[in-house]
Amino acid sequence: MKTIRVVAAIIKATNEAGKPIIFATQRGYGDLKGGWEFPGGKIEEGETPQEALVREIKEELETEIAVGELIDTIEYDYPTFHLSMDCFLAEIVSGDLVLKEHEAAKWLTKDELDSVEWLPADVTLINKIKIILN
């Protein structure tokens, strides 16, 4: 089975009430269209995962991020490929999160994390993110 290496940004901010929030995007293309995920993409040859994440967020969301710590590496078998996804905490440096490839996006508090239909690989991160948002 083919392995696809990708990176994902768990973009964290604070809402008006002072609560921590996480940015989620709804996939706008492909077999998994409509599912919710953390933004990111494939690592290109010669890139570190962090470099790939900065590039992907700039391309997909016209936003510059600062990449923080690695939360987890998710290994997940989809029907036609194996996904290896490095998931990093990130914060916005500049930009307005313009949706170029996604159908929708929303900021979610800890209590709202279960309110969207996450893609199977992303689901495995939710409990770790809830701990981070404490």
Side-chain angles (χ1 to χ4, degrees), residues 63-109:
T63 298
E64 186 181 338
I65 58 166
V67 179
E69 69 179 279
L70 177 69
I71 297 174
D72 201 356
T73 299
I74 304 297
E75 301 290 339
Y76 189 86
D77 287 328
Y78 281 100
T80 57
F81 65 94
H82 176 79
L83 184 75
S84 179
M85 179 169 65
D86 292 339
C87 306
F88 292 90
L89 267 181
E91 292 186 349
I92 296 171
V93 174
S94 65
D96 295 323
L97 296 168
V98 177
L99 297 184
K100 298 182 85 171
E101 295 185 15
H102 297 94
E103 284 191 6
K106 50 174 89 172
W107 287 99
L108 301 170
T109 64

Side-chain angles (χ1 to χ4, degrees), residues 25-37 101-106 116-120:
T25 54
Q26 189 176 28
R27 197 165 175 88
Y29 58 91
D31 293 343
L32 303 170
K33 183 179 187 326
W36 287 82
E37 64 182 354
E101 295 185 15
H102 297 94
E103 284 191 6
K106 50 174 89 172
V116 299
E117 285 289 320
W118 293 103
L119 293 176

Side-chain angles (χ1 to χ4, degrees), residues 49-67:
Q50 293 90 337
E51 290 167 343
L53 196 52
V54 168
R55 176 187 51 76
E56 284 285 347
I57 298 303
K58 193 168 280 196
E59 287 174 6
E60 289 183 11
L61 299 168
E62 293 185 4
T63 298
E64 186 181 338
I65 58 166
V67 179

Side-chain angles (χ1 to χ4, degrees), residues 8-29:
I10 301 10
I11 301 172
K12 187 178 170 191
T14 305
N15 67 13
E16 303 81 31
K19 290 189 172 195
I21 49 177
I22 296 292
F23 190 69
T25 54
Q26 189 176 28
R27 197 165 175 88
Y29 58 91

